[in-house]
């Protein structure tokens, strides 16, 4: 299974490194490899979150995400997105923006007679609005998870109180708006305040719209399924019984890869959109951070896109196929805490630069801590089960 899942990513990595070498020699090859490792280390929490959503989707929509989705991730976020920023911010047409990216001037004033900034400078200057949009989208995701009701909690001393106060309607929106206002007022530069407010508001609107539509159509599908009669003795009845014995409760918990109900049709489509926006939000810090290493869009697309994004997709598939999230039950909690940390880091970075390595290490540390806690819990339950057998 490991070879089948990760084999294509390995092949893509080798091909990407060869292309990088042919494109820019040894230096380009090294930079591409560095960016690939950089993206994988930053995006492990992204893979965990992707897996929690992907396992709710039908096989058809899983394939769509793993094919069309990878094209959007590679070419959309890692190549087209930076060019669009330059196109909008500089007033250049797409061809000029690409030329500026591929042929950077010797200094910022060399490209235009009036001293317009370079490609890298334009991308860096666009960070406040990018961070505001991504930070607010991820913040809404973080608050939505911990304000909701859950059977299990990891850091119970804080997650249980969050569940209790989360019973207040629209509390996550109130908190998010408050933090956005504080960020725009005290962190953003005076000339960026309005831009940050607008970008952050769009991030919140995007989350509420896409998540809300996904839940709405998912409920419609589940209602239709519930209204269908199941004749005793049929395959459908046996599957339903098997699903119940495998851990799916009456409330419709879909935990684990064996969950019977999967999002299809419109529900699957909006989950797909939700995943794409989520993946884009996770990608912002990687794309911006890549410019600390190189401003060449081809190398960024090869390293972050082809190598990094492919391995993130493979890791996502591995987590779903192996049922890892059902076995290591706190991984989802750790990933959402990593999302919360990334959201606050993005908002703070609007006014102060935060090293990308710090951002990546925070997420990895939270994932590892939740994994260790999951292993301890699993071993404790196994020991308890053996003890009960002995007592019997």
């Amino acid at each position: 299974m490991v070879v089948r899942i990760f084999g294509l990513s390995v092949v893509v990595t080798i091909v990407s490194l060869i292309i990088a070498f042919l494109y820019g020699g040894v230096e380009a090859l090294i930079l591409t490899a560095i960016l690939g490792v950089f993206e994988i280390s930053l995006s492990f929490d992204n893979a965990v979150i992707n897996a929690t959503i992907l396992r709710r989707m039908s096989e058809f929509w899983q394939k769509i995400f793993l094919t069309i989705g990878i094209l959007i991730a590679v070419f959309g976020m890692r190549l087209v997105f930076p060019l669009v920023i330059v196109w909008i911010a500089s007033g250049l047409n797409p061809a000029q923006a690409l030329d500026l990216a591929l042929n950077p001037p010797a200094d910022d004033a060399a490209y235009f007679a009036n001293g317009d900034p370079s490609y890298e400078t334009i991308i860096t200057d666009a960070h406040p609005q990018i961070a505001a949009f991504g930070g607010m989208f991820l913040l809404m995701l973080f608050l939505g998870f911990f304000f909701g009701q859950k059977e299990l909690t990891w850091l119970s001393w804080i997650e249980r109180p969050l569940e209790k106060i989360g019973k207040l309607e629209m509390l996550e929106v109130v908190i998010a708006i408050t933090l956005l206002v504080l960020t725009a007022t005290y962190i953003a530069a005076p000339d960026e305040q309005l831009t940050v407010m607008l970008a952050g508001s769009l991030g919140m609107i995007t989350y509420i719209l896409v998540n809300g539509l996904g839940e709405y159509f998912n409920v419609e599908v589940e209602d239709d399924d519930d209204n269908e009669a199941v004749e005793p003795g049929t395959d459908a009845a046996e599957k339903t019984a098997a699903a119940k014995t495998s851990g799916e409760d009456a409330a419709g918990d879909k935990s684990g890869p064996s969950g019977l109900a999967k999002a299809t049709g419109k529900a699957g489509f909006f989950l797909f959109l939700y995943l794409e926006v989520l993946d884009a939000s996770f990608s912002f810090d990687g794309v911006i951070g890549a410019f600390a290493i190189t401003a060449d869009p081809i190398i960024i697309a090869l390293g972050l896109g082809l190598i990094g994004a492919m391995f993130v997709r493979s890791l996502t598939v591995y987590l779903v196929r192996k049922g890892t999230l059902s076995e290591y039950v706190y991984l989802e909690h750790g990933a959402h805490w990593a999302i919360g940390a990334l959201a606050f880091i993005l908002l703070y970075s609007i006014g102060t630069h935060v090293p990308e390595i710090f951002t990546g290490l925070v997420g990895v540390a939270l994932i590892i801590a939740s994994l260790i806690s999951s292993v301890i819990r699993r071993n404790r339950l196994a020991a308890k089960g053996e003890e009960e057998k002995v007592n019997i």
Side-chain angles (χ1 to χ4, degrees), residues 44-60:
F44 187 80
D45 50 352
N46 188 7
V48 176
I49 292 297
N50 284 351
T52 65
I53 300 169
L54 195 65
R55 64 179 180 172
R56 295 165 49 195
M57 301 166 71
S58 67
E59 184 177 352
F60 170 78

Side-chain angles (χ1 to χ4, degrees), residues 108-119:
D108 279 357
Y111 192 77
F112 295 114
N114 60 1
D116 283 343
S118 68
Y119 176 84

Side-chain angles (χ1 to χ4, degrees), residues 116-356:
D116 283 343
S118 68
Y119 176 84
E120 181 179 357
T121 302
I122 293 172
I123 294 292
T124 304
D125 289 345
H127 176 73
Q129 50 264 48
I130 295 172
F133 180 94
M136 294 309 297
F137 183 91
L138 295 177
L139 180 64
M140 290 292 293
L141 174 60
F142 167 76
L143 294 175
F145 179 79
F146 287 108
F147 282 171
Q149 300 298 307
K150 298 174 292 298
E151 292 184 4
L152 288 174
T153 56
W154 176 36
L155 304 177
S156 300
W157 58 276
I158 186 171
E159 291 182 16
R160 289 301 184 193
L162 287 175
E163 282 187 5
K164 291 180 180 179
I165 65 174
K167 294 179 181 179
L168 295 173
E169 290 292 333
M170 304 302 291
L171 180 62
E172 64 267 29
V173 176
V174 174
I175 292 176
I177 292 176
T178 302
L179 287 174
L180 178 59
V181 171
L182 292 175
T183 300
T185 304
Y186 296 105
I187 295 179
D191 59 338
E192 295 283 356
Q193 291 179 348
L194 182 59
T195 303
V196 168
M197 283 294 298
L198 178 60
S201 299
L202 289 175
M204 291 178 57
I205 292 171
T206 302
Y207 173 84
I208 293 171
L209 182 63
V210 177
N211 186 57
L213 288 171
E215 289 183 354
Y216 171 75
F217 286 110
N218 197 38
V219 169
E220 273 196 346
V221 171
E222 289 178 359
D223 287 344
D224 291 342
D225 291 341
D226 290 342
N227 291 332
E228 293 179 0
V230 179
E231 182 181 347
T234 61
D235 291 341
E238 292 176 3
K239 288 180 180 180
T240 302
K244 289 181 179 179
T245 57
S246 68
E248 180 173 309
D249 59 21
D253 180 24
K254 311 290 190 304
S255 62
S258 59
L260 181 62
K262 300 290 183 181
T264 59
K266 293 178 181 178
F269 172 71
F270 282 109
L271 274 180
F272 170 74
L273 289 183
Y274 179 75
L275 265 177
E276 288 304 315
V277 178
L278 178 62
D279 187 62
S281 298
F282 271 103
S283 302
F284 289 148
D285 61 329
V287 173
I288 298 298
F291 285 93
I293 299 173
T294 179
D296 192 312
I298 303 301
I299 295 177
I300 290 175
L302 290 172
L304 293 188
L306 288 177
I307 298 176
M310 281 298 298
F311 266 101
V312 171
R313 288 303 191 280
S314 295
L315 184 57
T316 299
V317 173
Y318 180 81
L319 292 173
V320 173
R321 299 287 185 265
K322 291 287 289 183
T324 305
L325 298 177
S326 299
E327 185 175 359
Y328 302 101
V329 294
Y330 297 135
L331 269 180
E332 186 175 3
H333 295 73
H336 278 89
W337 279 113
I339 284 177
L342 177 57
F344 282 104
I345 289 172
L346 281 173
L347 294 176
Y348 179 74
S349 69
I350 291 174
T352 305
H353 174 69
V354 179
E356 287 73 24

Side-chain angles (χ1 to χ4, degrees), residues 352-372:
T352 305
H353 174 69
V354 179
E356 287 73 24
I357 188 64
F358 173 78
T359 305
L361 287 177
V362 169
V364 170
L366 288 166
I367 293 292
I368 292 175
S370 64
L371 176 62
I372 293 173

Side-chain angles (χ1 to χ4, degrees), residues 3-13 310 314:
V3 174
R4 186 171 70 252
I5 292 176
F6 288 93
L8 180 60
S9 296
V10 173
V11 172
V12 169
T13 298
M310 281 298 298
S314 295

